[in-house]
């Protein structure tokens, strides 16, 4: 019902061409023109640095809350199903809170690039702490995972940064390219983490803590590599 209401509101309220901007000229394209347009996206300066981080930014948080946080709380901290549900609910609430905060913070206090870099660095720090801290107390582990979800709201700013690179006639192709990076990362990173955790044998019907720490380390390393690409690859002014 909520999805239906959101779709109805979108249909009635959202405009392709806002009143303060003229509608771009549209015409049918040939297949070769469409392919040339896609290749022009990949040549845009500054896109590679966005894709490097966007590949893992959302995927790291999604891998944790979607796959491994529940088993981690069960195997390492012995939480029941109801207790795990409450822990996951706290994590799940943290990300939309972060999403509501990043916009005002970026508009009023911090440049977008700073917000993106800080979000990625803090997310990686949460994962590194979980990877390097043997047997953390439940409150500390939950706090770190909630922090991970809170700080992982910065990918929306990455999408904004990417949008500034595209001229109006390439927005559709540009958005598809950026979304493809996110979907690809969200497919591959869980596979990688699963392979790493799977190297550890199950002991007494539970995975050892070392398995989860290795998984957190892989996610932290992936984020740090993405952050390095964001910081070091060529950039361009919007």
């Amino acid at each position: 019902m909520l999805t239906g209401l959101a779709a109805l509101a979108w249909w009635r309220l959202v405009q392709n061409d806002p009143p303060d901007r003229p509608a771009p000229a549209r015409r049918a394209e040939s297949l070769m023109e469409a392919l040339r347009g896609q290749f022009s996206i990949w040549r845009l300066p500054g896109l590679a640095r966005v894709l490097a981080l966007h590949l893992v930014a959302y995927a790291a948080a999604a891998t944790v809350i979607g796959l491994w946080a529940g088993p981690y709380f069960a195997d390492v901290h012995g939480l029941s199903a109801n207790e795990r549900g409450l822990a996951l609910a706290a994590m799940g609430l943290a990300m939309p809170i972060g999403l509501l905060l990043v916009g005002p913070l970026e508009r009023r206090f911090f440049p977008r690039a700073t917000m993106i870099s800080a979000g990625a660095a803090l997310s990686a720090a949460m994962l590194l702490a979980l990877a390097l801290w043997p047997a953390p107390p439940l409150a500390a582990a939950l706090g770190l995972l909630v922090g991970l979800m809170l700080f992982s709201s910065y990918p929306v700013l990455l999408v904004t940064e990417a949008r500034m690179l595209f001229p109006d006639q390439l927005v559709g192709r540009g958005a598809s390219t950026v979304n493809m990076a996110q979907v690809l990362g969200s497919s591959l990173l869980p596979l990688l983490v699963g392979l790493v955790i799977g190297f550890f044998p199950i002991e007494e019907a539970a995975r050892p803590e070392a398995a989860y720490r290795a998984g957190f380390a892989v996610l932290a390393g992936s984020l740090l590599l993405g952050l390095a690409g964001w910081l070091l690859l060529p950039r361009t002014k919007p």
Side-chain angles (χ1 to χ4, degrees):
M1 289 175 62
L2 290 173
T3 302
L5 289 173
L8 180 63
W10 183 275
W11 176 57
R12 296 293 298 174
L13 299 175
V14 174
Q15 301 179 57
N16 286 333
D17 305 312
D20 58 338
R21 299 184 64 186
R26 295 184 175 92
R27 66 179 183 84
E29 285 184 323
S30 69
L31 177 60
M32 289 305 299
E33 287 175 325
L35 290 175
R36 281 196 295 269
Q38 186 59 51
F39 290 141
S40 67
I41 290 290
W42 291 99
R43 292 196 299 268
L44 286 174
L47 181 61
R49 64 190 291 262
V50 172
L51 296 183
L53 185 52
H54 201 48
L55 187 70
V56 294
Y58 173 77
T63 299
V64 173
I65 194 172
L67 290 175
W68 292 111
Y72 170 74
F73 285 127
D75 292 344
V76 176
H77 296 283
L79 297 192
S80 67
N82 287 340
E83 292 168 336
R84 295 196 300 273
L86 291 173
L88 291 171
M91 294 172 61
L93 286 172
M95 183 173 278
I97 291 173
L99 290 169
L100 292 172
L101 292 175
V102 291
L105 287 173
E106 187 258 343
R107 285 194 299 272
R108 299 178 184 178
F109 300 106
F110 303 106
R112 186 186 307 131
T114 301
M115 289 283 295
I116 293 171
S117 301
L122 288 169
S123 299
M126 300 297 105
L127 290 164
L128 275 176
L130 288 163
L132 299 176
W133 188 354
L138 173 60
L142 178 58
L144 289 169
L145 288 170
V146 169
L148 169 67
M149 303 310 297
L150 180 69
F151 297 132
S152 293
S153 53
Y154 67 93
V156 296
L157 298 179
L158 270 174
V159 174
T160 306
E161 184 75 9
R163 168 62 186 93
M164 302 304 294
L165 301 174
F166 307 133
D168 286 348
Q169 67 270 22
L170 295 178
V171 167
R173 293 188 180 99
S176 298
T177 301
V178 174
N179 287 333
M180 182 179 66
Q182 176 177 301
V183 172
L184 184 63
S186 298
S187 302
L188 297 180
L189 199 53
L191 289 174
L192 177 60
V193 173
L195 286 173
V196 170
I197 292 179
F199 281 125
F200 294 81
I202 295 178
E203 302 170 357
E204 298 180 359
R207 293 181 180 87
E209 186 207 13
Y212 293 101
R213 290 172 60 194
F216 291 135
V218 169
L219 292 171
S222 300
L223 271 181
L224 290 174
L225 286 174
L227 179 58
W230 162 256
L231 294 173
L232 300 176
L233 288 173
R235 63 187 68 194
T236 184
K237 286 187 177 182

